[in-house]
Amino acid sequence: MLAGASRPLDEDDVMPSKRAKLSTVSDGMQMYLDLGLPMDEALTKSYTFFSPLPFANPDNNDNESDGFVLGVDEAGRGPVLGPMVYATCFCRESYYSQLSSIGFADSKQLTEAQRDQLFAKLQTTSVQQHAGWSIRCISPQDISHCMLRRTKYSLNALAHDATIQLIRDALDRGVHITKVYVDTVGPPLSYQKKLQELFPKIEITVAKKADSLYPIVSAASICAKVTRDAHLSNWVFAEQWLQNKMSKEYGSGYPGDPKTVKWLKDSVDQVFGYPGIIRFSWSTCVKLLDERAVKVVWADDEHAPKNTVGKYFVRNGADTRPRSKFF
């Protein structure tokens, strides 16, 4: 379910941007969703998106006198498929208690409908005067590329860099950040020290379970989770010929999810493996490809077995194999 505003549309309502998509929520209200990327395009490259800034209105430009609290959290770190999304939510310090009273909590403890409604509240005019949010959506292709390249780029490093980029981007846009709360990746003390050295003028707090301790991090976790879920539910395969052929019943994407496991087993192609929604560096994917795909033997292998990938490109009269989904 998608969200983007928490009231019925008026006749003079306009689309927030060309990327916005109109959606209807369970209570019958229509709302715009804007996640920085059209839902009808394949997510092959990572992107960053910022909501309108609280001081975009000249009549409300008091950011110099009122500092901002910023929270950071992620969604989709562990799944074997789909994007990993880092998000921030930031609000004026004078507004923080009011934002906290809206009811933000760890996104994993909320239903989809509750997450959508809270995300919608962040995009109402009354809240946008005091708060904003941003996302860094990292595509599964970029995750695979980073983790499989010759010079390893770990998931932790990728996560740290996404967090740092979002904080810097907020500062570059003129958001006067005074406090930052981060849900930790790795040991919190060393991560906090790293961030504090990069941003010495900001009070940094890195903690485990920060999304359940600090409402501003809870709000960020909701932005991240709604973004990831929206991309998965509206996934467009980069391999266009698969769009109407491959099932999207892949569940949450976590290796322990039975729906995900079933989809992985059912969707593997013996020659081409998986489409680009998969993170090929995950051990779950590697294991299934080893078990179910044809072994690849390079030309310089001295003892190449007869049963190799090459035979799949040679057809004889008795061959009754079904055509691959990838063609």
Side-chain angles (χ1 to χ4, degrees), residues 48-105:
T48 303
F49 176 72
F50 261 78
S51 72
L53 297 176
F55 46 86
N57 183 343
D59 297 331
N60 198 30
N61 193 6
D62 58 351
N63 55 306
E64 290 299 326
S65 60
D66 193 359
F68 280 76
V69 181
L70 180 144
V72 185
D73 201 6
E74 56 78 26
R77 177 179 168 83
V80 67
L81 57 80
M84 178 172 72
V85 181
Y86 266 79
T88 73
C89 184
F90 47 91
C91 75
R92 303 180 191 280
E93 288 192 67
S94 60
Y95 185 75
Y96 189 26
S97 60
Q98 190 170 342
L99 182 76
S100 304
S101 68
I102 293 177
F104 290 104

Side-chain angles (χ1 to χ4, degrees), residues 272-283:
F272 297 99
Y274 291 109
I277 191 175
I278 288 292
R279 304 175 186 179
F280 290 94
S281 54
W282 258 237
S283 59

Side-chain angles (χ1 to χ4, degrees), residues 59-236:
D59 297 331
N60 198 30
N61 193 6
D62 58 351
N63 55 306
E64 290 299 326
S65 60
D66 193 359
F68 280 76
V69 181
L70 180 144
V72 185
D73 201 6
E74 56 78 26
R77 177 179 168 83
V80 67
L81 57 80
M84 178 172 72
V85 181
Y86 266 79
T88 73
C89 184
F90 47 91
C91 75
R92 303 180 191 280
E93 288 192 67
S94 60
Y95 185 75
Y96 189 26
S97 60
Q98 190 170 342
L99 182 76
S100 304
S101 68
I102 293 177
F104 290 104
D106 177 8
S107 64
K108 295 184 289 295
Q109 306 302 319
L110 301 172
T111 66
E112 182 179 0
Q114 289 172 326
R115 289 193 297 267
D116 289 340
Q117 290 169 4
L118 288 169
F119 181 65
K121 288 182 180 179
L122 287 175
Q123 301 193 45
T124 58
T125 303
S126 59
V127 176
Q128 282 185 338
Q129 292 177 353
H130 308 281
W133 54 277
S134 65
I135 53 172
R136 175 65 180 164
C137 187
I138 306 171
S139 71
Q141 289 93 330
D142 283 347
I143 294 173
S144 296
H145 172 72
C146 288
M147 297 185 67
L148 292 174
R149 68 188 190 184
R150 190 178 298 274
T151 303
K152 298 298 182 184
Y153 183 34
S154 71
L155 194 65
N156 278 6
L158 192 63
H160 286 195
D161 288 348
T163 297
I164 293 165
Q165 177 184 334
L166 288 173
I167 296 173
R168 281 181 173 155
D169 285 350
L171 292 170
D172 290 344
R173 283 168 167 78
V175 182
H176 181 212
I177 302 171
T178 55
K179 298 178 182 178
V180 168
Y181 297 93
V182 181
D183 194 40
T184 193
V185 174
L189 292 180
S190 59
Y191 189 17
Q192 180 170 311
K193 182 175 182 293
K194 176 181 180 179
L195 293 176
Q196 195 67 75
E197 290 174 350
L198 290 171
F199 306 104
K201 296 183 180 181
I202 300 175
E203 180 183 325
I204 305 286
T205 300
V206 178
K208 295 180 179 179
K209 305 296 183 182
D211 49 0
S212 61
L213 297 173
Y214 307 104
I216 197 69
V217 181
S218 303
S221 75
I222 289 169
C223 294
K225 178 64 173 170
V226 169
T227 301
R228 174 176 157 81
D229 287 352
H231 276 299
L232 283 180
S233 62
N234 296 278
W235 190 261
V236 177

